[in-house]
Amino acid sequence: MSAYVSAFELFSIGVGPSSSHTVGPMRAARDFVIRLGETDLLERAVRVTCTLCGSLGATGIGHGTPDAVVAGLRGEDPATVEPDAVRRAWSDWPGGRLLLAGTHEVAFAKDDVVFAPRTRLPGHPNAMTLAALDAAGAVLAEETYYSIGGGFIRREGEAQRVAAHPFPLAFDNAEELLAICDEHGLTIAEAARINEEALRTEAEVAAGLDAIWDAMASCIDAGLAADGELPGMLRVKRRAASIRHQLDDASSAGHRELPGEWLGAFALAVNEENASGGRVVTAPTNGAAGILPAVAMYWWRFLADSGLGVGNAVTPHGELVGSALLGFGLGEAAVDVVDDEIVAEANRRRGIRRFLLTATALGSLFKANASISGAEGGCQAEVGSACAMAAGGLTAVMGGTNRQIENAAEIAMEHHLGLTCDPVGGLVQIPCIERNAIAASTAVTAARLALRGDGSHYVSLDAVVETMRQTGIDMSTKYKETSEGGLAVNVIEC
């Protein structure tokens, strides 16, 4: 076993507003109806019920959990579903018949989704039990699922899932990761790429990482173009588009660019899209989805071609496939490229792949050795992990060494220890949206501090990860995504 989690699991394309409360429950409900079909029970079912326990029950409505359950029962996949098919699927349910797996009709009412916030199952704070009943009211099948953060789910009684192909470079912590890289003369990104290529070809890995980045960039664009109010009783006004207009006006008037303010706008844009139930990339969760894209876009737009990042540091060599360079710039065969724009684009693409692969290796450590679930570890598990991943990724594309990367991640995580998860009204809006913008700025600061050092530091990343784990255990449940403490009880919801 290895702590490593594939980039294509850690960065999954889904819908907002929550990876653990929306994406995970949708996957669980979908898995349930697929299993009904595989065991020939689907046609016998006349009714389905879902009980949302613990944190899923406490903030489920604000997080769109029952809407996601309905979409999942219909057989929808978070990666491909149209966001409008999920929004208010339960909230506006008129009653009548529901098509399980898109094929089999059953009776369904809104109260077939039951909220049980005081029922906490031992497997995880985010638990849900699905049941299928026959015409006599007898239970045909019943399964309990845990939404363990980042859209990952675990079915009760299921053996821990193991990768079909063991990763060639296995590591359990940051110390082992650095040792492996030293032994083989690799960067952290190269080590991650080798692991990814145990499952996919080099071209498939590159294309997949490009698709992740394109989805992130599209989310930023969508958020920067949208205005109005976010859904929910708080009536939070979108701000990213207004900030974009202000920054565009300043630039057109001849004033200098303001990268730091753009960084914040990028993060707000993503999390406003997430709060509206739009398409986002879990990075590593939806609640923290704005941090990595914002920092990556900050590098792409302001640093990649300035000589301060990998853009000018990497020779423009790679494998030319059609009109897209799929090479990683990590030792592949050289191909002459003469067009400056193609060179710049190719370098930026390689930089983003390096950023994402580095972040994947770091995120794997948090997931394996602590948690990326706000319901389990507070917001330190979500925003803190994302900040550390982004700081490490930025350090990598700025030319940092492996130990500088580890140092940047440690700095970023260290200063999020104890961060609570206290969404006002159970909505992923206040303080979540601004929190992503602040954490994006912290990630940049952490990277710059690490790059000014030689990588040596007193507190190791492993020590911070273990501290985060212990802090999450000690933290009161009212500060873990239940909206029972913190700002959630000290801000009037009107």
Side-chain angles (χ1 to χ4, degrees):
M1 285 293 295
S2 172
Y4 189 79
V5 177
S6 172
F8 305 107
E9 295 180 354
L10 201 62
F11 299 117
S12 61
I13 299 172
V15 295
S18 172
S19 50
S20 59
H21 283 58
T22 312
V23 176
M26 193 188 308
R27 286 178 174 159
R30 183 174 185 269
D31 184 78
F32 181 68
V33 295
I34 289 173
R35 288 180 179 278
L36 287 179
E38 291 173 344
T39 54
D40 297 324
L41 295 175
L42 184 62
E43 297 300 320
R44 295 172 55 193
V46 300
R47 182 183 171 211
V48 291
T49 64
C50 177
T51 302
L52 301 174
C53 303
S55 182
L56 292 184
T59 59
I61 292 180
H63 285 66
T65 307
D67 301 314
V69 169
V70 171
L73 290 173
R74 287 171 170 161
E76 301 283 8
D77 186 331
T80 56
V81 65
E82 286 298 323
D84 283 343
V86 184
R87 295 184 179 106
R88 306 193 67 79
W90 174 87
S91 305
D92 291 343
W93 180 256
R97 313 291 288 178
L98 178 67
L99 273 179
L100 292 186
T103 61
H104 177 65
E105 279 194 353
V106 296
F108 186 77
K110 288 184 70 172
D111 59 10
D112 285 326
V113 178
V114 178
F115 298 87
R118 300 299 177 189
T119 301
R120 296 180 64 84
L121 301 186
H124 195 276
N126 290 331
M128 56 189 286
T129 298
L130 291 145
L133 292 79
D134 65 14
V139 175
L140 290 170
E142 185 175 84
E143 297 283 2
T144 294
Y145 292 86
Y146 300 104
S147 183
I148 59 176
F152 291 89
I153 60 172
R154 184 177 69 244
R155 185 169 55 89
E156 190 168 68
E158 179 182 38
Q160 187 172 4
R161 295 175 182 176
V162 180
H165 304 280
F167 293 115
L169 298 179
F171 56 88
D172 289 325
N173 51 50
E175 182 180 3
E176 291 181 7
L177 173 60
L178 292 175
I180 286 173
C181 290
D182 287 346
E183 178 184 354
H184 297 281
L186 300 170
T187 66
I188 290 175
E190 288 170 332
R193 176 172 65 89
I194 289 170
N195 279 345
E196 295 293 344
E197 289 177 5
L199 306 177
R200 298 169 177 85
T201 67
E202 179 181 353
E204 288 172 340
V205 172
L209 293 172
D210 287 349
I212 291 170
W213 169 243
D214 289 342
M216 289 179 170
S218 294
C219 187
I220 291 175
D221 290 343
L224 290 175
D227 54 19
E229 293 181 348
L230 297 173
M233 71 284 197
L234 299 180
R235 303 190 67 180
V236 172
K237 181 177 175 57
R238 284 179 179 257
R239 288 180 288 170
S242 174
I243 294 173
R244 185 207 71 187
H245 290 310
Q246 294 174 46
L247 295 174
D248 283 341
D249 290 345
S251 179
S252 62
H255 300 296
R256 66 183 180 87
E257 287 269 35
L258 299 169
E261 294 194 37
W262 275 108
L263 173 69
F266 297 151
L268 291 179
V270 173
N271 285 88
E272 287 174 355
E273 278 298 289
N274 178 64
S276 71
R279 187 164 303 288
V280 297
V281 179
T282 59
T285 68
N286 282 29
I291 301 165
L292 271 92
V295 174
M297 183 62 79
Y298 167 83
W299 174 82
W300 176 285
R301 178 162 175 175
F302 299 108
L303 302 178
D305 301 326
S306 68
L308 298 176
V310 77
N312 287 344
V314 175
T315 304
H317 293 154
E319 181 182 354
L320 190 61
V321 180
S323 61
L325 278 165
L326 297 182
F328 284 88
L330 301 172
E332 58 274 9
V335 174
D336 291 331
V337 182
V338 294
D339 189 293
D340 287 344
E341 291 185 6
I342 293 178
V343 170
E345 172 75 8
N347 278 323
R348 285 195 295 269
R349 286 280 178 180
R350 273 195 294 272
I352 289 297
R353 295 170 200 150
R354 181 174 296 184
F355 184 106
L356 292 174
L357 287 169
T358 303
T360 298
L362 297 171
S364 297
L365 299 176
F366 292 108
K367 185 178 186 304
N369 299 322
S371 177
I372 57 171
S373 167
E376 191 171 38
C379 207
Q380 59 171 2
E382 296 198 32
V383 166
S385 297
C387 183
M389 293 163 66
L394 181 60
T395 304
V397 296
M398 295 282 283
T401 66
N402 290 337
R403 279 165 176 76
Q404 287 173 322
I405 292 167
E406 185 257 0
N407 188 15
E410 176 273 321
I411 293 170
M413 185 67 245
E414 181 179 357
H415 299 290
H416 281 90
L417 290 173
L419 186 62
T420 60
C421 187
D422 50 357
V424 177
L427 299 168
V428 193
Q429 298 178 14
I430 299 173
C432 319
I433 295 171
E434 286 181 353
R435 187 166 284 174
N436 275 251
I438 299 301
S441 178
T442 299
V444 173
T445 300
R448 293 189 181 279
L449 285 172
L451 286 164
R452 290 296 180 184
D454 61 4
S456 60
H457 52 108
Y458 193 82
V459 180
S460 70
L461 176 58
D462 287 331
V464 172
V465 172
E466 173 58 17
T467 303
M468 191 257 274
R469 186 190 69 82
Q470 294 174 5
T471 303
I473 293 172
D474 293 340
M475 189 182 292
S476 169
T477 56
K478 71 181 183 179
Y479 296 117
K480 299 182 191 177
E481 212 169 38
T482 59
S483 291
E484 294 177 341
L487 286 176
V489 298
N490 288 301
V491 176
I492 299 174
E493 300 170 12
C494 64

